[in-house]
Amino acid sequence: MSRVPGWLGRLGAGLTEMSERYNERRAEAERERDDPESRTFADEHVPPPPDYAPDIAARPDPAQAVPWGVRVAAEAGWRLLVLAGTLWVLMRIISAVQLVVLSFVIALLITAILQPTVARLRRHGVPRGPATALTAVLGFVVIGLIGWFVTWQVMENIDDLSGQIQDGIDELRNWLLNSPFHVTDKQINEIAKNLREAVGANTDQITSAGLEGVTVVVEALAGILLAVFSTLFLLYDGKRIWEWTLKLVPAAARPGVAGAGPAAWRTLTAYVRGTVIVALIDAIFIGLGIYFLDVPMAVPLAVFIFLFAFIPLVGAVVSGALAVVVALVTQGVFTAVMTLAVVLAVQQIEGHILQPFILGRAVRVHPLAVVLAVACGGMVAGIGGAVVAVPLVAVTNTVAGYLRAYSQKTALRHAVPPRGATAVSAEPTPQTPSE
């Protein structure tokens, strides 16, 4: 029993020594962890790296290793992909509701023509409702009378025109037989036979096209009614519709969009007015020219020239070619050449004098942009797309120019430091979005 306390004392001393060593090792480990430079490879039992090993700490940042041009191209590339995807989705949506979009755009164009009349009546004290109704009724009556007049003239002259076309075809056949091209009567009969066989072989397709034409007529009537109702509401409540549309724009961009809207509307109004005036002048002078040349259906052809003038470049070519063909098959080669001279002369005067003077620089679009816009509009939405493509480009150009000037003006206003008494004012207080 006398030896037990000694054994216990030695055991306690050993445990105390082991605890002290453990505390020392833990303190040393904590110091090495806080100070990585104090570590040694011997303590960690890791062999040192060879002399030829690369210095890991000297490697550059991967973003800095990429050339500047590649980084700029990548940044622009993914943004272009996002824009292309957004445009693709937008075009799919427009294609799904193509009739609605075209009807609304046509309503905008008609409103741009009629709205100055409503404003003039309002200035003379006429209430908004009667002014809108009177202007719309007169405008649609005029459009309906033009359509009725064209149809009436075509139906009145269709018999004479068919006879003159047949005579013209006979004259063309005789000219081919006596021409230096050595065309024989057998070859002409063979061409006529092939045409008849082609028509007979495609009878089913022609019938289906006629049935599809009925659907097109129904859709056209629906589009006309939608355009009429849209025009009425735009004439009557256009300002409040625009104010409601501004509420959908983010607050930060609202001031710029609020200023770009009136500028775009002025551009659209100027474009539509100028196009109507230019088309009217083309129709009058070309119509007078082909009338004095005894070309049949001069008045309907003049109306077609007026309507086709709303399709820039392409419409003038198509309507002029139609007048020349009618003159060729009805009056002969000399009359056709004279008709071509009249069309080219009027179009040259239009392109170099009338359009720059009437339309002005505000709505002038480069011819290449016009051709590309008409081509894209025609591919997307046919004739309607070709009609609205150029005014859309003109309005977009105006909006982009206004927003660019507005952003530059805003940047300069925030960049210039205050002078005079305002320079020593206190720090500005932050404003809420509602302010």
Side-chain angles (χ1 to χ4, degrees):
M1 294 297 293
S2 60
R3 299 178 60 184
V4 174
W7 176 78
L8 290 175
R10 288 193 299 273
L11 180 60
L15 292 175
T16 301
E17 185 180 358
M18 290 178 61
S19 178
E20 292 176 353
R21 289 181 180 178
Y22 175 74
N23 290 333
E24 291 177 358
R25 294 293 301 271
R26 187 174 61 179
E28 184 179 356
E30 291 178 355
R31 287 193 302 271
E32 291 179 355
R33 185 180 59 190
D34 296 337
D35 188 9
E37 295 181 356
S38 63
R39 298 180 186 177
T40 60
F41 289 99
D43 294 337
E44 298 181 2
H45 303 287
V46 178
D51 296 336
Y52 58 83
D55 188 2
I56 298 178
R59 289 182 179 179
D61 185 8
Q64 299 296 330
V66 179
W68 173 256
V70 176
R71 282 195 287 171
V72 171
E75 292 286 338
W78 72 261
R79 286 176 171 84
L80 289 176
L81 287 177
V82 172
L83 291 176
T86 304
L87 182 61
W88 183 81
V89 173
L90 182 62
M91 295 304 298
R92 296 286 294 180
I93 295 174
I94 292 176
S95 299
V97 291
Q98 177 179 341
L99 179 64
V100 177
V101 174
L102 284 178
S103 300
F104 183 74
V105 173
I106 292 173
L108 282 176
L109 297 178
I110 298 175
T111 304
I113 299 175
L114 301 180
Q115 192 271 336
T117 304
V118 176
R120 192 174 295 109
L121 292 175
R122 292 291 307 277
R123 286 194 297 267
H124 284 81
V126 181
R128 181 172 58 183
T132 301
L134 182 61
T135 303
V137 169
L138 289 177
F140 291 129
V141 165
V142 170
I143 295 174
L145 287 176
I146 292 174
W148 170 82
F149 181 74
V150 172
T151 305
W152 174 62
Q153 286 290 315
V154 171
M155 296 302 296
E156 285 290 327
N157 295 278
I158 190 66
D159 294 334
D160 295 338
L161 181 63
S162 60
Q164 292 177 352
I165 289 176
Q166 184 62 43
D167 295 338
I169 293 174
D170 294 338
E171 292 180 3
L172 180 62
R173 178 176 180 173
N174 294 330
W175 181 80
L176 289 174
L177 290 175
N178 299 322
S179 67
F181 299 107
H182 304 290
V183 179
T184 62
D185 193 17
K186 182 179 179 181
Q187 291 175 338
I188 296 176
N189 292 331
E190 188 69 23
I191 293 174
K193 180 181 178 182
N194 292 334
L195 290 176
R196 287 193 297 268
E197 291 178 355
V199 172
N202 297 320
T203 303
D204 296 335
Q205 296 181 2
I206 294 173
T207 304
S208 62
L211 295 177
E212 291 178 358
V214 176
T215 305
V216 171
V217 170
V218 174
E219 292 181 352
L221 292 176
I224 290 172
L225 291 177
L226 184 58
V228 169
F229 281 107
S230 300
T231 303
L232 289 175
F233 284 109
L234 288 173
L235 287 174
Y236 180 76
D237 221 6
K239 183 178 181 180
R240 278 193 279 186
I241 292 174
W242 170 245
E243 292 174 352
W244 177 85
T245 306
L246 283 177
K247 297 179 181 179
L248 304 177
V249 181
R254 195 171 298 165
V257 176
W265 182 251
R266 287 192 296 270
T267 298
L268 181 62
T269 304
Y271 178 85
V272 175
R273 287 184 192 172
T275 303
V276 169
I277 295 173
V278 171
L280 187 61
I281 293 174
D282 284 353
I284 291 175
F285 283 98
I286 295 178
L288 288 175
I290 59 180
Y291 174 78
F292 286 114
L293 290 172
D294 291 331
V295 177
M297 298 178 61
V299 176
L301 285 176
V303 176
F304 279 118
I305 291 170
F306 173 79
L307 296 177
F308 275 93
F310 286 91
I311 306 177
L313 297 181
V314 178
V317 174
V318 173
S319 60
L322 178 62
V324 172
V325 169
V326 172
L328 176 64
V329 299
T330 57
Q331 299 296 326
V333 178
F334 176 78
T335 305
V337 172
M338 296 302 297
T339 303
L340 179 61
V342 171
V343 171
L344 291 179
V346 173
Q347 289 181 356
Q348 289 298 315
I349 295 174
E350 169 204 336
H352 294 88
I353 298 177
L354 296 180
Q355 285 190 356
F357 178 74
I358 297 175
L359 294 179
R361 301 184 60 88
V363 295
R364 188 178 300 175
V365 182
H366 195 276
L368 179 60
V370 172
V371 173
L372 295 178
V374 171
C376 294
M379 293 174 63
V380 172
I383 297 177
V387 171
V388 304
V390 176
L392 179 61
V393 171
V395 169
T396 304
N397 183 36
T398 300
V399 171
Y402 180 88
L403 292 178
R404 183 171 59 251
Y406 178 81
S407 62
Q408 293 175 356
K409 183 179 179 180
T410 304
L412 289 176
R413 185 169 62 248
H414 288 85
V416 175
R419 297 179 181 178
T422 59
V424 294
S425 61
E427 294 183 359
T429 57
Q431 296 181 350
T432 61
S434 61
E435 297 176 348

